[in-house]
Each structure stands twice: as C-alpha cells, then as structure tokens.
Amino acid sequence: TKTLLEQEIGKYFSSSVYVINTLFGGGILVVLSLIYLVLGQSFITEKILTLAGTSSMIEQILSNSPIIMIVLAILVTSTIVIACSSISFEGKNIWIIKANPIDYKKVFTSKILCNFIVACICILTSSIFFGIRFIIDAGLLGVLYTLGYIILTSLFALLISVSGLFVNLIFPKLDWQSETEIVKQSMSVGIGLLVNMVLGVLCIIPLFIFLLF
C-alpha cells in the first residue's frame, strides 16, 4: 500500500491541471484562515452580515465564530475532489492494474489516502492560523475549538475521499484525450462535487442546531 500511495501522490503532483483544479479549495481554506488570524472575528462577522442581512438569528449564529469557521472549512474542503478523477486518470493504462496481481482494495485505499492526505495538509496548515486566533479570542477554550476543527474537518475529508472514489468507480472516463477532460469536464467530477456538497450540508446541520440552541 505504501508503494502504491507514493505512486498515486507522484502521479497527482505530476499533473499541473489535476493539482490546480483540485487544490483550489484547499488554497482558499488556507487564505481564509490567514484572513481570520489577521483581521479577527469582527471582520468575518461584518462581511457575512453585509451579504446575508441583519437578524437576531444570524447574529446568534455568528456569535460563535470558531464554529462558523468549522462550517466554512467543511464546505470548502468539499471541493477537494482528487478521488473523483483517480480511476479516470488511469485512462487506457487501466489494463496494467488489471493485469498485475495487485489487490484492488490496496489500489482503492491508495487513491482514497491520496485525496485524504492532500486535504489534511490544507486542513492542518489552516488549523495553525485558525488555532492561534481561537486561542487569542477564547483562551484555553480555543484549544478545544482547534482540536474540534482538526477532527471534524479531517473526518469529513476522509468521508469525501471515499465517496469520491465510489462516484468515479460508477462514472469512470477512460477514453480521454486530455487531462482537462477528466478534471474539468467529466460527469464523475460534477456528480462528486454535488455529492460532497450534500454531505457537507448534512454534516453542518448539527453545528447550526448547536449554535441556535
């Protein structure tokens, strides 16, 4: 599995189209955490109130900015869809995998872990900046918020890594001529993004209920 994982990660980073289109959300997450660290809760709150309007419910939700940041992180992480193209990326060379006596579970695991590890790099990087601000604003409670951020977003990253591979197994595109076709134009990526967003919404509903009650 380790060798397969190294090959999968190497294959991923060898394609600039693949990296740019699947890591855009991860980059946004890191930038968001930097903005939150430098400008703090009030800036984020003001921007959201400007967009959503002012109401007592919205103000109550925004009163706990660490939870809001976890919610935003989950939604942004849902755009890291590496696994949604991982089977398609094999293209016409898929026969090599089929011909070799390799356990399919190990192949699938390496593709899931590639998505998960890349997502976690973005999550852990952003957690440093988020964590500093959480601790500045909430003291020791900020440590718990930081741990919660890392755990919840990482679990979600694992969930979408599995679902992404599952979607690509159902809707593979192996007869592509350009990598752009499978990363930007394939049905698998479109459906994978939709599935991830639905999963994200389902995951953040309990957080909103917590904020309201």
Side-chain angles (χ1 to χ4, degrees):
T1 302
K2 181 180 178 181
T3 302
L4 289 172
L5 177 59
E6 290 174 350
Q7 292 175 350
E8 196 66 30
I9 292 175
K11 191 185 305 177
Y12 170 68
F13 283 106
S14 69
S15 170
S16 58
V17 174
Y18 204 0
V19 171
I20 291 172
N21 284 278
T22 55
L23 262 188
F24 182 73
I28 291 177
L29 182 58
V30 174
V31 171
L32 176 64
S33 66
L34 275 169
I35 293 174
Y36 183 71
L37 170 61
V38 175
L39 301 178
Q41 174 180 343
S42 59
F43 175 81
I44 302 295
T45 301
E46 289 174 7
K47 290 300 180 183
I48 295 178
L49 287 174
T50 300
L51 292 172
T54 303
S55 72
S56 58
M57 179 182 292
I58 292 176
E59 289 179 353
Q60 182 180 346
I61 291 173
L62 294 178
S63 64
N64 193 324
S65 65
I67 301 297
I68 295 300
M69 291 303 105
I70 293 174
V71 168
L72 291 176
I74 286 174
L75 293 178
V76 172
T77 301
S78 69
T79 65
I80 302 177
V81 289
I82 299 169
C84 292
S85 305
S86 59
I87 298 295
S88 298
F89 200 77
E90 299 295 340
K92 296 175 182 178
N93 294 325
I94 192 74
W95 66 269
I96 297 176
I97 295 177
K98 294 181 177 180
N100 289 327
I102 303 173
D103 187 348
Y104 284 170
K105 290 181 180 179
K106 292 182 179 180
V107 174
F108 295 157
T109 298
S110 67
K111 294 182 181 299
I112 290 170
L113 286 177
C114 179
N115 195 140
F116 178 65
I117 289 171
V118 172
C120 280
I121 290 173
C122 300
I123 289 168
L124 292 175
T125 302
S126 63
S127 72
I128 296 172
F129 306 124
F130 277 132
I132 293 172
R133 174 52 66 176
F134 291 163
I135 293 170
I136 290 173
D137 292 341
L140 290 176
L141 185 59
V143 177
L144 295 179
Y145 281 135
T146 304
L147 290 174
Y149 172 84
I150 294 172
I151 292 170
L152 291 176
T153 50
S154 295
L155 287 174
F156 180 70
L158 180 59
L159 175 62
I160 64 169
S161 298
V162 175
S163 67
L165 179 68
F166 184 72
V167 169
N168 198 202
L169 283 170
I170 298 175
F171 303 102
K173 183 178 178 63
L174 302 175
D175 57 344
W176 48 272
Q177 303 299 320
S178 161
E179 293 175 357
T180 303
E181 292 181 42
I182 57 172
V183 177
K184 288 186 174 182
Q185 303 166 2
S186 70
M187 182 184 295
S188 177
V189 171
I191 294 175
L193 277 170
L194 180 61
V195 169
N196 288 357
M197 291 302 292
V198 171
L199 291 174
V201 170
L202 292 176
C203 288
I204 65 178
I205 287 175
L207 293 176
F208 276 117
I209 293 174
F210 172 78
L211 289 174
L212 291 173
F213 300 100

